[in-house]
Amino acid sequence: MSDSSLVRHLVWVVLIKLALLTAIWWSFFRSERVQADAGSTAAHVLVSPSSSGASQ
């Protein structure tokens, strides 16, 4: 397989993968919405490790 043939093959594979991932996203995740406000995001991010329930 020559270099140009390999590159062409890899480009097709990547394009097909992107198309399949887009189709999966469109089918299952497009309508999902996450509601987040600044307060809940800050509370989630600023949790100290000792209060998160993880054992040490």
Side-chain angles (χ1 to χ4, degrees):
M1 189 179 258
S2 68
D3 287 342
S4 63
S5 174
L6 177 62
V7 169
R8 190 177 325 118
H9 179 76
L10 291 174
V11 166
W12 275 112
V13 168
V14 169
L15 290 175
I16 291 169
K17 282 179 111 174
L18 286 173
L20 289 173
L21 285 172
T22 302
I24 290 169
W25 176 84
W26 190 269
S27 298
F28 297 105
F29 301 108
R30 179 178 50 109
S31 62
E32 297 296 321
R33 299 284 183 240
V34 176
Q35 299 297 328
D37 60 359
S40 64
T41 303
H44 180 74
V45 172
L46 298 176
V47 171
S48 65
S50 62
S51 66
S52 67
S55 61
Q56 294 185 16

